[in-house]
Amino acid sequence: MSDESVISLRGVRAELGSRPVLRGIDLSVRRGQVVALLGANGSGKSTAVRTIIGQVPVTDGEIELFGTPRRRFRDWGRVGYVPQRTTAAGGVPATVTEVVSSGRLSRARFGVLRKADHEAVRRALDLVGMADRAKDSVNALSGGQHQRVLIARALAAEPELLIMDEPMAGVDLASQEVLAATLRKQVAAGATVLLVLHELGPLEPLIDRAVVLRDGCVLHDGPPPEAVGQHALPGHDHVHPHAPAGAEPIRTGLLS
Amino acid sequence: MEILNYAFMQRALLAAVLVGITAPAIGIYLVQRRQALMGDGIGHVAMTGVGLGFLLSWSPVWMATLVSVLGAVLMELIRWYGKTRGDIALAMLFYGGMAGGVMFINLAPGGSNANLTSYLFGSLSTVSESDVTAICLLAAFVVLVTVGLRRQLFAVSQDEEFARVTGLPVRALNLLTAVTAAVTVTVAMRVVGLLLVSALMVVPVAAAQQLTRSFAATFAISVALGVSVTIGGTVTSYYQDVPPGATIVLLTIGAFILLSLLAAPLARRRARALAAAHPAEDPAECKIPATRGAADEVGV
């Protein structure tokens, strides 16, 4: 792990419509770190990630990727992104390979995929255990398999930084384990990861740091909360010690 | 083939083939991004262009191209900025375009709604030499974009948010899609008419989807289908004296129904093959394990 910041947000504010969603977020992810962004629905964790990739405009603050201001950042082959989706399908049938190949465009010149690019797509499919479904239509896949395709698409560019928005949502247990194993290999190979999560789940052992958002502010930034004793029970409401006295319990969903 | 002895039929068939290629070629991206009716909207806006062409004694084809390209760019801008009231703004654009067409053509010296009819429903037999030149140039542009940029357009139409992170110029590609759709509308205007254009953009793609699993195959089959129905419709209209635009659209819908009927047994066979290839994932029947473990205990 080095001191180099791969993602850096300083005082980032953003609005959706005219409603403020982020109220000055500071977040720095260093090379090799695995950071989980946690928080209840509406806390701004997805919006934070979407400002990083430029999908949501910021009204104030600075964002840097690999030390370059995001506006001037062009080296997108270094970033793999898994958006929050329940399906990889569009309005027209497409095979698993066709969808995953899109992820390689950041490394391809003028949209032309060469032999090395096709091999990278193949490796990405192997990593998520979908190589045998390469020629199948994505419409024929289960929810967990859709998620594996979306992750393969992000891995096809062989990125140094993975940004994933709720990769475990709606994923069956078998696929969750495949995804956790895939991520473990990426982390072992030195990848930096920023994950938006609703619950730590099977990824818990991988996570170095947890950042908890609430109402568009950073509430906690440090080691992931440990589930012990009473807290380990399902359905437990997580009351964070940093919360102001008398605040209603924040339901991070970490333990439910 | 006496039909090929007439110059007007040669022009008609050439125009028909070009429409059969270009309409599904851009239509597939509109269907993929779930904007299947965009072609219909552009068709409405193009009417203002036709009306202006008559009023200013310009070529209605080029004027319609200009106005529908502007309209398509405006629609794309409305989609970016006017997220909440976008549909109302689009409705105003569509009906304003239609009303503008009727107004301008009636203001034109000697113009009446009768002139407009040939653009609304197509008029293959009156396609002129200069129309053919315009159609060829515009069709070449559409093919260049839809085939040359297929990977980029596929990525943007499949998942815009993801495409942004691959560094693709998403806004430029969206604008290019809109402009190409507008150009296609004017290519198809003389063949099937502005009101029926959208059918040729959408229905061949929908029909091809009944059989296909991949985007590439859907593209190829919908273009082949587009060419077949436009040639079939043109030839039928010559021998039977029926309007070509309506014949082409009805043939396309017929092809869709036929392929849907064929697709049902094909889908069943594929499902069986898939289940046989991956028995662990999709067991045909429920299996109850002989012994129950701790994991099966249900807490109360």
Side-chain angles (χ1 to χ4, degrees), chain A residues 55 81 85 88 98 133 145, chain B residues 158-159 161 164 215 281:
Chain A
Q55 181 72 19
Y81 177 55
R85 295 274 181 280
E98 282 175 327
R133 308 298 296 265
Q145 290 168 333
Chain B
Q158 187 81 8
D159 191 336
E161 188 177 337
R164 201 175 291 277
F215 185 84
E281 285 166 28

Side-chain angles (χ1 to χ4, degrees), chain A residues 21-187:
Chain A
V21 180
L22 300 180
R23 304 163 195 264
I25 298 254
D26 293 308
L27 171 68
S28 162
V29 179
R30 296 185 190 292
R31 182 172 291 280
Q33 267 189 337
V34 181
V35 175
L37 204 51
L38 303 161
N41 290 332
S43 60
K45 55 193 195 300
S46 274
T47 307
V49 158
R50 296 171 93 216
T51 59
I52 297 172
I53 60 145
Q55 181 72 19
V56 172
V58 297
T59 49
D60 197 16
E62 287 167 46
I63 299 177
E64 285 183 0
L65 281 170
F66 295 97
T68 309
R70 209 216 60 232
R71 280 180 185 289
R72 285 196 278 116
F73 183 78
R74 293 288 174 270
D75 211 357
W76 289 106
R78 301 170 79 179
V79 184
Y81 177 55
V82 182
Q84 190 178 359
R85 295 274 181 280
T86 51
T87 169
V92 171
T95 63
V96 168
T97 303
E98 282 175 327
V99 171
V100 173
S101 296
S102 298
R104 191 66 191 176
L105 284 177
S106 51
R107 296 272 187 199
R109 255 170 196 273
F110 308 117
V112 181
L113 296 188
R114 294 169 200 288
K115 194 157 169 270
D117 298 314
H118 291 294
E119 279 163 10
V121 168
R122 183 86 199 164
R123 276 197 301 279
L125 282 173
D126 260 332
L127 278 170
V128 298
M130 292 291 286
D132 59 331
R133 308 298 296 265
K135 290 202 168 79
D136 288 341
S137 167
V138 286
N139 290 320
L141 304 179
S142 70
Q145 290 168 333
H146 275 276
Q147 207 61 45
R148 282 149 77 173
V149 168
L150 293 175
I151 289 169
R153 182 174 69 173
L155 294 177
E158 298 170 301
E160 298 161 46
L161 165 66
L162 267 173
I163 300 176
M164 304 172 134
D165 195 350
E166 303 240 10
M168 293 301 194
V171 172
D172 56 278
L173 207 61
S175 287
Q176 282 197 11
E177 279 158 17
V178 173
L179 294 182
T182 307
L183 210 56
R184 200 152 46 233
K185 277 182 224 158
Q186 294 296 311
V187 171

Side-chain angles (χ1 to χ4, degrees), chain B residues 1-14 125 238-239:
Chain B
M1 291 297 275
E2 55 149 302
I3 184 172
L4 288 174
N5 292 340
Y6 300 101
F8 79 91
M9 275 315 286
Q10 290 170 4
R11 289 197 294 269
L13 277 171
L14 179 61
S125 54
Y238 173 79
Y239 287 110

Side-chain angles (χ1 to χ4, degrees), chain B residues 247-269:
Chain B
T247 314
I248 289 169
V249 171
L250 289 176
L251 272 178
T252 320
I253 292 174
F256 172 81
I257 294 172
L258 192 71
L259 290 181
S260 311
L261 293 176
L262 282 177
L266 188 74
R268 272 201 297 277
R269 240 185 39 212

Side-chain angles (χ1 to χ4, degrees), chain B residues 16-190:
Chain B
V17 167
L18 292 176
V19 171
I21 295 169
T22 52
I26 185 67
I28 192 168
Y29 299 107
L30 299 182
V31 174
Q32 194 189 7
R33 54 171 63 207
R34 303 184 200 280
Q35 294 176 348
L37 289 178
M38 186 171 177
D40 199 46
I42 298 173
H44 285 51
V45 176
M47 283 173 67
T48 292
V50 173
L52 270 178
F54 274 99
L55 185 63
L56 306 173
S57 307
W58 268 41
S59 150
V61 173
W62 287 113
M63 206 62 200
T65 308
L66 185 71
V67 171
S68 54
V69 163
L70 289 177
V73 168
L74 198 59
M75 273 185 239
E76 197 49 43
L77 293 176
I78 289 171
R79 206 167 71 82
W80 288 345
Y81 296 110
K83 274 172 189 129
T84 41
R85 309 309 298 163
D87 54 337
I88 308 264
L90 288 181
M92 286 203 270
L93 190 64
F94 292 1
Y95 304 117
M98 201 144 83
V102 175
M103 183 59 82
F104 287 135
I105 208 150
N106 278 286
L107 289 177
S112 72
N113 287 345
N115 303 91
L116 204 52
T117 309
S118 77
Y119 290 91
L120 287 183
F121 301 105
S123 170
L124 253 182
S125 54
T126 60
V127 171
S128 66
E129 288 279 352
S130 64
D131 284 342
V132 168
T133 313
I135 290 175
C136 283
L137 287 173
L138 295 171
F141 168 76
V142 175
V143 170
L144 214 64
V145 169
T146 54
V147 177
L149 295 175
R150 63 188 181 285
R151 286 199 187 276
Q152 289 92 332
L153 293 180
F154 173 86
V156 170
S157 307
Q158 187 81 8
D159 191 336
E160 204 175 290
E161 188 177 337
F162 178 80
R164 201 175 291 277
V165 185
T166 60
L168 287 175
V170 171
R171 287 189 169 186
L173 286 168
N174 280 339
L175 276 179
L176 187 65
T177 307
V179 167
T180 311
V183 168
T184 310
V185 164
T186 45
V187 169
M189 174 172 75
R190 299 308 308 269

